[in-house]
Amino acid sequence: MTISKFSKLFGALLLGACSTVALQAAAQDGENATLADALKSGEVGLNLRYRVEIVDQEDYDQDGINGDATASTLRTRLNWRSGSYNGFTSFLEMDDVTSVGNDNYNSTVNGKDNYPVVADPDGTEVNQAYIRYSGENSVITAGRQRINLDGQRFVGGVGWRQNEQTYDGVRYQYGSADSLQLDYSYVYNVNRIFGEDSAGAEFEGNIQLFHASYPVAENHKVSGFVYNLDLENFVENASRTYGVDYKGNFGPINANLSYARQGDTGDNTQNYSADYYLAEVGADLGPVTAKLGYEVLGSDNDVGFKTPLATLHKFQGFADQFLSTPDDGVEDLYISGAMKIAGGKLNMAYHNFDANKGSANYGHEWNVSYGHKLTEDISALVKYASYQADDHRLDTDKFWLMVTANF
């Protein structure tokens, strides 16, 4: 864990911010009281998220391997946000993940390798810690922070897992939703979902994330992006991705079209250049919101298009059978529908997966979820995924029950 590097960066940023505040306070009568008020007016938040995740994988043919896993975990999140002083705010957030009851699962660090993986390891971490300056039309955030770009297909926080993915670095955001928006981040460390004790705890390197969007017309937006991941470890994921994305509404019909091209960079010895395509159309059909999509993560020289920073659980099925793209790429043809029932929201989806290169049919998957807000502060979610394998991995069923409370 690069705690020392993060501590030095955050300490320097904190010192710089405090020095700036002190100079401003010395120059203006009464400003010390304003700074004190900003600290006193800070807000404390508490979030509790309890989840049971059950995994059933069939057709194991290895001795000593159990196809069933049950994870019962509680995430406790405590945070504090200061008031604003001359545009500056600060934020600190701590997360604790603890097994409660059944822990017959492979958390990736608990040594229970004879069970299927549920990547929710126990641990206590600083999830976010940053200083932010908000100007008239721009925001600068320095420290450990959450970064979610577009729909999180390429860069996200993996918020579904109990231990969130966060980014150490500096981010600059300019513009507003009804005008040109620019978003640039320099990141030197990515704190992944596997926790501090994992060999895969972090991505280290020089990571630059640039995203720009512009509303070309009312309800029509075009975005462009460049994501350069020059990783010092896990160099097989070092890549540079260029892409463009379009989102638009035509009355009750909405569309999303996206294209990206990716190649190796840095110390990655793989020589490849793969394409990404997305075509998705949605419609409001009375009480039902329907969606039809076709997504392709291509392949070149037996290397599949990579998305190591994505919130992967959102895509290609809840069963998480494509967290890394197969060497022959993957094509996902999917249809989904959502509607409100009994005060909650029901979602259903079907995916069919094929190889992008060759004729392999990987399998298909059904997803069902129902979420309901029990009170103003408490919500519940039930979710089920069933992946039927053909040429990729094993038949897998997953079930979740989750309760979230905010205070």
Side-chain angles (χ1 to χ4, degrees):
M1 176 76 178
T2 56
I3 286 293
S4 59
K5 290 199 299 182
F6 168 72
S7 298
K8 290 177 182 178
L9 172 66
F10 187 71
L13 294 166
L14 182 60
L15 179 60
C18 289
S19 298
T20 301
V21 168
L23 289 172
Q24 292 171 334
Q28 302 178 35
D29 291 337
E31 287 300 310
N32 284 327
T34 302
L35 175 59
D37 289 343
L39 296 175
K40 291 178 181 178
S41 64
E43 297 180 353
V44 175
L46 174 64
N47 171 272
L48 302 176
R49 188 166 80 173
Y50 172 75
R51 183 163 69 211
V52 175
E53 180 169 339
I54 299 173
V55 182
D56 178 12
Q57 290 185 332
E58 298 180 357
D59 300 326
Y60 266 105
D61 57 4
Q62 303 179 51
D63 293 337
I65 300 296
N66 190 329
D68 299 328
T70 301
S72 172
T73 59
L74 173 66
R75 186 191 70 191
T76 303
R77 171 172 288 175
L78 180 65
N79 56 46
W80 175 80
R81 185 185 305 276
S82 75
S84 177
Y85 178 79
N86 287 344
F88 285 96
T89 58
S90 58
F91 183 77
L92 177 64
E93 182 171 77
M94 300 291 297
D95 280 0
D96 175 79
V97 181
T98 303
S99 299
V100 180
N102 200 317
D103 62 352
N104 293 326
Y105 67 100
N106 178 8
S107 75
T108 72
V109 297
N110 62 359
K112 298 189 176 184
D113 299 338
N114 58 321
Y115 289 98
V117 170
V118 178
D120 289 329
D122 288 0
T124 302
E125 293 187 5
V126 176
N127 191 53
Q128 296 189 81
Y130 61 76
I131 295 170
R132 174 171 291 167
Y133 174 77
S134 299
E136 182 177 351
N137 208 30
S138 61
V139 177
I140 301 174
T141 307
R144 180 166 297 179
Q145 58 194 282
R146 180 183 295 118
I147 300 179
N148 293 324
L149 297 179
D150 261 343
Q152 305 181 50
R153 189 61 185 96
F154 299 104
V155 180
V158 198
W160 172 250
R161 297 263 53 105
Q162 297 285 54
N163 185 29
E164 186 179 19
Q165 178 169 279
T166 54
Y167 299 79
D168 296 342
V170 179
R171 182 182 186 185
Y172 173 73
Q173 297 167 272
Y174 169 85
S176 59
D178 58 353
S179 64
L180 174 67
Q181 289 182 288
L182 302 177
D183 195 321
Y184 172 77
S185 297
Y186 173 77
V187 174
Y188 69 87
N189 189 72
V190 180
N191 308 284
R192 304 175 71 203
I193 63 173
F194 305 106
E196 296 180 352
D197 297 329
S198 171
E202 301 166 325
F203 284 139
E204 299 176 350
N206 297 311
I207 300 170
Q208 299 189 66
L209 309 171
F210 175 76
H211 184 277
S213 63
Y214 185 75
V216 294
E218 187 176 0
N219 298 321
H220 297 271
K221 182 174 72 173
V222 174
S223 302
F225 52 88
V226 180
Y227 303 140
N228 191 72
L229 281 58
D230 187 2
L231 301 181
E232 297 172 357
N233 63 345
F234 298 97
V235 295
E236 68 277 6
N237 284 314
S239 62
R240 181 180 292 116
T241 304
Y242 303 85
V244 62
D245 181 84
Y246 162 78
K247 293 181 176 67
N249 291 336
F250 303 86
I253 307 296
N254 59 79
N256 186 189
L257 302 173
S258 188
Y259 169 77
R261 188 161 182 83
Q262 181 182 93
D264 56 281
T265 193
D267 293 331
N268 192 346
T269 59
Q270 299 169 319
N271 182 16
Y272 77 102
S273 184
D275 296 313
Y276 169 88
Y277 304 91
L278 171 69
E280 183 181 88
V281 60
D284 292 327
L285 307 173
V288 178
T289 300
K291 186 180 296 182
L292 174 66
Y294 181 63
E295 184 183 50
V296 177
L297 281 76
S299 171
D300 181 52
N301 285 340
D302 295 324
V303 179
F305 193 101
K306 304 172 187 293
T307 57
L309 301 185
T311 298
L312 293 166
H313 185 75
K314 288 185 62 178
F315 307 94
Q316 298 179 333
F318 295 154
D320 291 336
Q321 298 304 296
F322 297 90
L323 296 180
S324 58
T325 306
D327 292 342
D328 289 331
V330 58
E331 301 179 0
D332 178 11
L333 178 63
Y334 57 92
I335 185 170
S336 66
M339 64 183 302
K340 294 181 179 180
I341 296 179
K345 189 173 184 179
L346 175 68
N347 291 272
M348 298 184 65
Y350 173 80
H351 298 260
N352 185 77
F353 303 106
D354 291 306
N356 178 244
K357 293 285 183 70
S359 58
N361 174 253
Y362 291 145
H364 62 273
E365 179 173 331
W366 284 98
N367 295 156
V368 181
S369 67
Y370 179 74
H372 195 286
K373 195 169 185 178
L374 304 178
T375 70
E376 186 66 26
D377 300 314
I378 301 175
S379 60
L381 176 70
V382 178
K383 191 156 76 167
Y384 173 73
S386 180
Y387 174 76
Q388 302 300 307
D390 192 350
D391 297 324
H392 182 74
R393 298 187 180 272
L394 306 170
D395 291 355
T396 302
D397 292 333
K398 293 189 177 184
F399 171 82
W400 300 267
L401 173 63
M402 187 168 75
V403 178
T404 305
N406 292 293
F407 302 97

